[in-house]
Amino acid sequence: MSSDIAPSESTTFWQSIHQAQATMHSLSLILGPLPDPLTFSENPTTSLLHDANISHDIKSHLHHPDSGSGDDNLCRWLYDTFQSTNPGLQLVVLNFLPTIIKVYLSRAISQKSLAGFEAVLLALYAHETVIRGGEPQTVILPNLTNPSVYHEAKTPTKSKAVDLNIAVLCPALEPFGTVRSTKRARIIGVALELYYNNLHDMPLSSKLEFCEFCVDWAGYNQSLEEEKQSNPKTDASCADQQGEMIQVKGGEDEHGKKGRRIPLPWELFQPILRIVAHCLLGNSNSEELKEAALVAAQCLHLRALHDMNPQAILASRSLLRLAKMPGDTIFKPHVVNDSSDLAASQLASKD
Amino acid sequence: MLCTCSGQQFQFEENEMPQSPESLATRDFSVSGLSSKTGDWDSKFDDSQVDDVESTLKETLSLNYEEARALLGRLEYQRGNFDAALQVFQGIDVRGLRPRMIKAIAERTQHRKSRPKGENVQVNVMSMHSVSLLLEAILLKSKSLEQLGRHKDAALECKNILDIVESAWPYGMPEGVRGESKLKEMFHKALELLPKLWKQAGFLEEAISAYRRALVRPWSLDLKRWASLQKDLATVLLYGGAEVPLPPQFQQVWAHMTPTSNIEEAVLLLLILMRKVAFQEINWDAEIMDHLIYALSLSGQFELLAGHVEQVLPGIYSRGERWYLLALCYSAAGLDDLALNILKKGLGHSERKHKLHLPSLLLGAKLCYKNPSHAWEGINFAMKAIEFTNNQEKHLRGVASHLLGVCYGYCAQSSISDSQRLRLQSESLKSLQHAATIEKDDPEVVYSLGRENAIQRNLNTAVESAIKYLDMVAGSSVSGWKLLALVVSAEQNFKDAEAIVDLAIDETGKVDHLDFLWLKASLQVAQEQPRNAIDTYRILLAMIQVQKELKSWSSDSEVKAVKDLEMEAWLDLSFIYTKLESWTDSYVCLEKAKSVEIFSPKCWHATGMLLEAQSLHADALVAFSVALSIEPDYVPSMVSIAAVLRMFGGKSLSLARSFLMNALHLEPTNHNAWLNLGCISKAEGSLHHAADCFQAAYELRQSSPVQNFT
């Protein structure tokens, strides 16, 4: 195999191996000796990403009451590892993003120094700022009168292209040196967008945790349970069409600390919902993840209803409806019908 | 030969071992009791297999090694012996046969176009029949691998089919290809299968490129299958969890028509699908609509979305749901009045049927909550919402109470009688307190409570709420900081208020700094530090200048807010200079303010103040009247006119009094109005009344913030 690799490629390959080993060495100074299979792994970055024991150790460190301060070695390790610019190692850091955000947000209210967590979050934010080069993220809305890769225009277009409609998905990022509290949601939101873009490569456990945290952040788990118990047959739009009851872990994590509800402005709600949507409707084989994502989506929808934020209601509502639809509906159309309303309109037309 | 290659794994015990290709065919025939469509292997056996063998024999006069294997493999596949089928298929050297197959497909279609009818096909070219048989073999091999759980191998195998056909037809399926229905069918199945296999194998990029491969060229797929593939691609792009850009060759061909991100590509596909639904090329599909709602909500395109909701044929959504959806779209697009009208219409309809839609009621209340002029309607919506929350939705009662409380507060502010105002104010606090007991974790309720208390000048409670609110949101709310600073300033504790503003400046971003600097300057004016205030205004105006130069991507409302602030800053400076009796400076500032917005009552009011300070009473009156002609309810000018008229004395006093009464109707907490009213009463000799007015003026002044609680 190695003979196939061009010399320059092989040097970068070895460099990344060395980098990974150095990273693991510095991790072992914090956590104590790492298990052998990891130390001698052929592909250390992937092993590091997927090793359940190491993940568990790192997470319990992050949950420790004294974690996240400016001199927290683990935060420093996460920061350095992310700055290594090795994509594989950056994934390792992103793997812990849900935990970091959760612990950070639950302590943001206290006056404790959280410089360690903030440094990691700012590193992710700065990384994304550099990638975007100060430009806003935009979506050009397709105008079907112009032909595209996927369709031909029915009418021949005039010499000038029809105007394009540009929507802003995310405004340009201003660089931040510190986390200002009114900018916290923006910084975390951008970090989560980075997480979203690498979601396909994230281990299942990270996504599962994220969905569980969402339930706490949204803060309506209680209402969801009550609603389900008092049996639910209201209108098609609501989250309450769920027939069966889904067990939730009650927002109680293994460290016994209940997460707190957090302000969810759109800049934070949007990336959170995108991640949950991936867990719910992406191509995952894990039923456990789908169930967790469904609960998260329901709680987020309830939260959107409580905040009466139309943008969030529309997005979360359509996700829930999609989660409930059976497979392919192009061949077997699935028509939602309110028979009584239809009957009423027929009656009205007779009058 | 056949048996030596692969016979060991086969389970031929029950049946006779096939001795020759012919006997294989006969056995096929004897087994197949049912007939079905070509290429549908899942349904038992079929007559067509016999036809296959027959026609192969007719065309080539022999059944060659590969074809025999293809047929045998199919048989094993049909029986569910995927392992055995795989063994058989592995004996076919696809790589070796590839060039011949490509040539056969390409030549055949070329000849069909160019050559006159009746001419024979070249002898050494593989027959189309064998080609389809071999393609089928590859497809079945891929499916066997899939069944055995080897998804990646299955995908690689399946990709062979696409490679072969694409090499033969680089520009898609040529028009006029008929007859090769089996080849087409195999190919179409492969097109559909490949992305599914990559998805199952967990290769997102490959899956996406397989979909794109199937969709960018005309492969004459039937409409439903085509639409289904488009929908699947849109789904993978939306929920895949990775950004997979289109390959550069598309970008070269399509330039700016190429989607630049996955979400954009997904929206394009969904819009194409919606058009197909509109043209009734495919049936209505609720999933497409929901994917579209999701995608457009994420990208904030609500007017476009509303257009699609409006186009949905009746009978698909219930009336209430459709109106709710539309109202959501319009309110998300910022067209609140339109949304409110739609909601009213929708609710009027459902009210007659005694079936109210709770989320619509809440949305209605929320829309009114955003616009004080609709506050009375907001009360209506919220009361109905509280009335109609049933047991399972009781958690929404807190939301309704919150909205109700805020709307009561707005109504109180615009109320014309004192008794009504007091009643509304107490209702407001009651509802908000009720909301706070239900929505314990909702910081916004605490904020509203703090704000309402501040307006009612219950300053201690207001400070408590403001602090609690900032704690709950961990300092992340700009309006929370502002409320706290204003309430503390209302306590006449300007120093602390300024410290709070400094803290807020540390915790907020650049755009918010403008407001806080303005507040800081006002606080410095209140502390009679004109020099510091002038410095702060200078910084503020410099920052506004920078903002104006960098105005890319700011919305219209943001641009207006910055413009208003600029004018306010110049006017405040003008007031400072007026106070310092530096008339020329004051005029300069005033001119600057007018250059921003000349038709503002504030500018004319400031002009009046300046003239008044120079004792040019008549001119000042004119300026104040201009302000009132621009905005008849502009309270400060009313009070100032009254002050000038008061000085004229005599008959003017009653005129002044009516101006003041009017001002106090509109703004009962205006201490200046009370002060002037007191002076008039004193001049008229009713000393008791004058004392009351002075008392009110003093108390109100002692609890006024430096800027209005907004």
Side-chain angles (χ1 to χ4, degrees):
Chain A
M1 274 303 279
S2 58
S3 61
D4 294 346
I5 303 170
S8 64
E9 269 181 43
S10 88
T11 42
T12 48
F13 172 76
W14 285 114
Q15 265 174 1
S16 77
I17 293 275
H18 282 307
Q19 223 170 21
Q21 278 167 345
T23 306
M24 286 213 277
H25 176 69
S26 48
L27 183 62
S28 68
L29 297 179
I30 304 166
L31 296 181
L34 304 182
D36 279 354
L38 195 61
T39 322
F40 301 109
S41 161
E42 278 182 24
N43 194 344
T45 42
T46 321
S47 319
L48 198 55
L49 181 62
H50 291 282
D51 190 296
N53 290 330
I54 292 294
S55 286
H56 181 266
D57 285 357
I58 292 182
K59 281 172 193 164
S60 42
H61 257 77
L62 289 173
H63 276 288
H64 191 271
D66 294 331
S67 66
S69 61
D71 54 2
D72 185 338
N73 284 326
L74 185 63
C75 288
R76 193 165 293 168
W77 179 81
L78 287 166
Y79 178 86
D80 291 340
T81 308
F82 189 80
Q83 298 291 27
S84 71
T85 65
N86 175 339
L89 289 175
Q90 290 185 330
L91 286 182
V92 175
V93 178
L94 285 176
N95 182 19
F96 300 107
L97 186 63
T99 315
I100 294 173
I101 292 177
K102 185 197 167 190
V103 178
Y104 173 63
L105 284 177
S106 66
R107 292 187 197 159
I109 187 171
S110 67
Q111 301 300 316
K112 250 189 199 169
S113 159
L114 297 168
F117 287 143
E118 288 179 350
V120 179
L121 291 171
L122 283 169
L124 303 185
Y125 180 84
H127 176 78
E128 198 61 17
T129 315
V130 171
I131 289 178
R132 296 187 195 173
E135 294 291 318
Q137 276 192 321
T138 55
V139 175
I140 299 174
L141 283 174
N143 187 330
L144 292 193
T145 45
N146 292 328
S148 77
V149 191
Y150 294 114
H151 80 296
E152 290 168 16
K154 297 263 161 159
T155 49
T157 42
K158 287 154 204 146
S159 56
K160 214 180 100 194
V162 183
D163 281 348
L164 297 169
N165 202 349
I166 297 176
V168 181
L169 196 61
C170 173
L173 302 178
E174 50 176 321
F176 289 125
T178 53
V179 181
R180 292 165 186 264
S181 52
T182 53
K183 295 292 154 190
R184 200 181 287 126
R186 170 122 234 62
I187 291 167
I188 293 175
V190 170
L192 283 176
E193 277 167 24
L194 186 62
Y195 181 73
Y196 172 80
N197 283 334
N198 293 286
L199 206 47
H200 183 69
D201 302 316
M202 281 297 132
L204 181 67
S205 61
S206 181
K207 298 183 200 175
L208 261 176
E209 270 187 340
F210 185 84
C211 291
E212 282 166 25
F213 297 160
C214 281
V215 174
D216 292 347
W217 292 337
Y220 284 99
N221 195 19
Q222 210 61 36
S223 321
L224 185 69
E225 308 260 307
E226 278 170 22
E227 202 169 77
K228 279 175 189 159
Q229 272 162 359
S230 59
N231 184 35
K233 226 254 153 219
T234 46
D235 112 280
S237 70
C238 283
D240 35 38
Q241 256 195 339
Q242 230 34 46
E244 66 212 81
M245 170 109 167
I246 296 163
Q247 286 299 322
V248 201
K249 287 175 188 164
E252 201 77 28
D253 67 20
E254 57 185 294
H255 301 270
K257 263 189 200 160
K258 199 175 179 301
R260 51 192 293 271
R261 176 191 145 121
I262 55 166
L264 284 178
W266 180 245
E267 55 195 2
L268 195 51
F269 195 93
Q270 189 217 39
I272 288 181
L273 196 69
R274 287 181 85 181
I275 295 166
V276 171
H278 162 85
C279 298
L280 189 61
L281 300 171
N283 190 47
S284 162
N285 300 321
S286 160
E287 282 308 310
E288 193 189 359
L289 178 63
K290 284 188 180 164
E291 273 180 26
L294 182 61
V295 177
Q298 283 169 329
C299 289
L300 287 170
H301 180 68
L302 279 178
R303 174 63 184 268
L305 270 181
H306 276 246
D307 291 354
M308 262 296 144
N309 176 354
Q311 222 169 345
I313 295 176
L314 278 170
S316 57
R317 176 184 183 276
S318 48
L319 266 195
L320 282 182
R321 287 168 51 98
L322 284 165
K324 280 171 224 154
M325 279 182 205
D328 198 339
T329 48
I330 283 196
F331 291 103
K332 290 173 197 153
H334 169 83
V335 177
V336 188
N337 231 327
D338 182 323
S339 53
S340 65
D341 204 82
L342 201 63
S345 64
Q346 279 163 356
L347 273 178
S349 64
K350 274 179 194 169
D351 288 347
Chain B
M1 184 176 62
L2 213 58
C3 323
T4 51
C5 291
S6 46
Q8 284 163 347
Q9 276 81 18
F10 294 174
Q11 296 157 353
F12 279 137
E13 290 86 8
E14 315 120 340
N15 292 321
E16 220 182 316
M17 184 86 95
Q19 296 301 314
S20 67
E22 279 86 351
S23 74
L24 179 68
T26 1
R27 198 179 56 128
D28 258 353
F29 184 61
S30 64
V31 178
S32 65
L34 303 158
S35 67
S36 72
K37 283 183 292 177
T38 335
D40 194 356
W41 320 278
D42 301 328
S43 56
K44 306 281 164 154
F45 306 94
D46 53 47
D47 288 335
S48 63
Q49 294 182 358
V50 187
D51 301 338
D52 281 348
V53 181
E54 266 178 19
S55 57
T56 311
L57 286 172
K58 269 183 217 154
E59 276 192 49
T60 58
L61 299 174
S62 69
L63 192 63
N64 67 27
Y65 173 79
E66 285 84 13
E67 288 160 357
R69 274 187 172 265
L71 289 168
L72 185 58
R74 174 160 86 193
L75 196 64
E76 291 296 343
Y77 179 86
Q78 283 166 336
R79 289 166 144 203
N81 301 332
F82 304 115
D83 247 327
L86 190 60
Q87 293 280 343
V88 178
F89 288 132
Q90 268 163 350
I92 302 174
D93 174 22
V94 178
R95 194 176 280 197
L97 288 169
R98 230 172 105 152
R100 286 181 61 205
M101 292 168 78
I102 296 174
K103 197 175 163 200
I105 302 173
E107 296 233 333
R108 180 79 174 215
T109 38
Q110 260 172 20
H111 278 275
R112 180 145 312 164
K113 274 189 208 156
S114 56
R115 71 166 191 251
K117 268 190 180 174
E119 208 175 291
N120 280 326
V121 193
Q122 277 169 279
V123 187
N124 58 348
V125 173
M126 204 186 262
S127 78
M128 275 323 251
H129 181 77
S130 330
V131 174
S132 359
L133 208 57
L134 286 171
L135 287 183
E136 184 193 52
I138 307 173
L139 189 62
L140 289 181
K141 184 177 173 189
S142 162
K143 288 197 147 206
S144 307
L145 285 163
E146 182 196 4
Q147 293 289 346
L148 296 170
R150 292 165 59 185
H151 295 116
K152 190 182 167 193
D153 294 334
L156 288 171
E157 203 58 51
C158 186
K159 191 168 164 281
N160 275 328
I161 302 179
L162 269 70
D163 289 344
I164 291 170
V165 179
E166 275 190 352
S167 315
W169 291 331
Y171 303 107
M173 197 161 293
E175 279 174 40
V177 176
R178 289 191 202 96
E180 279 81 14
S181 60
K182 175 140 185 194
L183 182 140
K184 230 161 107 176
E185 185 58 29
M186 290 308 126
F187 176 59
H188 285 169
K189 289 203 172 187
L191 281 180
E192 291 168 330
L193 182 63
L194 183 59
K196 288 203 174 94
L197 291 173
W198 281 126
K199 271 203 289 190
Q200 281 165 345
F203 290 82
L204 185 73
E205 266 181 58
E206 281 77 2
I208 290 178
S209 72
Y211 277 121
R212 286 171 177 160
R213 226 170 144 177
L215 290 170
V216 292
R217 290 198 195 119
W219 292 123
S220 66
L221 274 164
D222 91 284
L223 284 174
K224 281 187 179 170
R225 293 167 80 179
W226 194 16
S228 186
L229 276 178
Q230 286 183 324
K231 188 174 100 175
D232 287 349
L233 175 55
T235 318
V236 175
L237 290 169
L238 277 179
Y239 312 107
E243 190 67 28
V244 185
L246 273 165
Q249 63 262 32
F250 291 120
Q251 280 159 22
Q252 282 159 13
V253 179
W254 292 95
H256 63 282
M257 309 292 184
T258 339
T260 51
S261 64
N262 284 356
I263 191 163
E264 203 174 305
E265 196 176 340
V267 169
L268 171 66
L269 287 162
L270 292 169
L271 289 178
I272 293 172
L273 284 168
M274 285 305 284
R275 193 166 71 168
K276 288 182 180 174
V277 172
F279 289 155
Q280 298 189 328
E281 287 174 12
I282 53 172
N283 289 325
W284 162 257
D285 180 3
E287 274 194 18
I288 297 177
M289 188 66 191
D290 279 308
H291 287 307
L292 188 68
I293 295 178
Y294 172 77
L296 291 180
S297 308
L298 285 189
S299 43
Q301 281 308 300
F302 294 99
E303 275 181 86
L304 183 70
L305 181 56
H308 282 283
V309 176
E310 279 179 2
Q311 278 169 29
V312 171
L313 293 173
I316 286 165
Y317 291 126
S318 74
R319 227 172 252 238
E321 194 185 358
R322 179 201 291 255
W323 276 326
Y324 175 54
L325 264 181
L326 269 180
L328 282 173
C329 293
Y330 284 123
S331 95
L335 304 168
D336 287 352
D337 287 345
L338 190 53
L340 200 57
N341 279 337
I342 291 171
L343 278 180
K344 278 192 257 179
K345 202 173 161 200
L347 287 170
H349 172 77
S350 52
E351 203 165 0
R352 284 196 296 281
K353 290 167 64 192
H354 303 289
K355 205 177 77 181
L356 282 178
H357 186 244
L358 184 63
S360 295
L361 288 170
L362 290 175
L363 182 62
K366 173 78 181 219
L367 290 171
C368 300
Y369 158 102
K370 278 160 69 184
N371 184 349
S373 59
H374 293 303
W376 285 104
E377 283 174 272
I379 292 181
N380 221 342
F381 277 122
M383 298 253 266
K384 266 187 210 149
I386 292 171
E387 193 183 329
F388 279 89
T389 36
N390 51 25
N391 212 22
Q392 65 224 281
E393 289 158 332
K394 67 169 181 251
H395 57 92
L396 289 172
R397 207 168 284 168
V399 182
S401 294
H402 177 200
L403 297 172
L404 181 64
V406 175
C407 288
Y408 269 133
Y410 284 140
C411 290
Q413 277 172 293
S414 62
S415 149
I416 37 169
S417 81
D418 276 347
S419 61
Q420 191 191 33
R421 176 176 302 120
L422 288 175
R423 189 181 62 79
L424 289 170
Q425 283 184 336
S426 85
E427 286 291 334
S428 170
L429 282 184
K430 222 166 73 187
S431 299
L432 288 172
Q433 272 151 0
H434 181 59
T437 55
I438 304 175
E439 292 272 302
K440 285 190 196 74
D441 295 330
D442 189 352
E444 295 310 315
V445 178
V446 179
Y447 174 80
S448 298
L449 205 53
R451 188 176 162 280
E452 187 56 38
N453 272 314
I455 289 171
Q456 298 186 24
R457 305 281 165 98
N458 306 325
L459 297 181
N460 285 338
T461 334
V463 170
E464 273 171 33
S465 297
I467 291 174
K468 189 177 170 200
Y469 172 68
L470 277 177
D471 263 352
M472 285 173 94
V473 298
S476 67
S477 158
V478 174
S479 43
W481 285 107
K482 217 184 266 175
L483 179 67
L484 183 62
L486 284 176
V487 177
V488 173
S489 83
E491 288 181 321
Q492 308 303 302
N493 188 351
F494 300 123
K495 215 170 177 173
D496 283 359
E498 200 183 332
I500 291 166
V501 171
D502 285 336
L503 208 58
I505 289 175
D506 277 347
E507 295 294 340
T508 49
K510 283 202 183 91
V511 183
D512 306 311
H513 286 175
L514 301 182
D515 274 347
F516 283 116
L517 280 173
W518 182 39
L519 186 52
K520 184 177 164 129
S522 306
L523 285 166
Q524 285 166 337
V525 172
Q527 292 175 82
E528 303 195 348
Q529 303 169 344
R531 209 163 283 280
N532 291 347
I534 290 170
D535 273 349
T536 312
Y537 279 118
R538 214 190 51 225
I539 299 170
L540 172 61
L541 286 165
M543 284 182 71
I544 289 174
Q545 202 54 40
V546 174
Q547 281 283 314
K548 276 162 75 183
E549 278 159 22
L550 294 170
K551 65 183 165 196
S552 57
W553 300 109
S554 49
S555 66
D556 288 353
S557 62
E558 280 169 337
V559 172
K560 189 176 177 300
V562 171
K563 239 175 96 175
D564 286 350
L565 191 57
E566 188 182 3
M567 187 189 71
E568 295 276 5
W570 285 117
L571 290 178
D572 286 355
L573 272 176
S574 157
F575 278 122
I576 294 176
Y577 286 121
T578 307
K579 251 188 167 172
L580 296 173
E581 300 191 356
S582 164
W583 312 128
T584 36
D585 287 336
S586 184
Y587 268 115
V588 170
C589 295
L590 201 54
E591 286 310 310
K592 287 275 189 188
K594 281 185 181 168
S595 72
V596 180
E597 173 64 71
I598 191 163
F599 294 113
S600 161
K602 287 177 185 170
C603 281
W604 288 99
H605 179 71
T607 313
M609 296 295 280
L610 178 53
L611 293 167
E612 171 69 17
Q614 292 169 278
S615 304
L616 303 167
H617 301 301
D619 293 341
L621 270 186
V622 173
F624 291 134
S625 319
V626 174
L628 281 180
S629 65
I630 296 171
E631 194 185 312
D633 286 347
Y634 189 66
V635 173
S637 288
M638 288 182 195
V639 179
S640 297
I641 285 184
V644 177
L645 290 173
R646 178 172 67 82
M647 270 188 282
F648 292 167
K651 283 182 184 171
S652 304
L653 283 183
S654 58
L655 198 55
R657 178 187 289 277
S658 81
F659 267 111
L660 289 173
M661 294 309 283
N662 204 2
L664 286 173
H665 259 320
L666 294 164
E667 197 184 311
T669 51
N670 190 314
H671 56 86
N672 252 330
W674 285 110
L675 179 68
N676 279 297
L677 199 59
C679 293
I680 290 172
S681 295
K682 192 179 153 199
E684 288 174 343
S686 46
L687 293 180
H688 265 297
H689 188 242
D692 284 349
C693 290
F694 290 140
Q695 177 76 24
Y698 174 76
E699 278 174 14
L700 284 170
R701 200 194 135 83
Q702 285 307 305
S703 62
S704 315
V706 288
Q707 287 169 7
N708 281 338
F709 301 114
T710 41

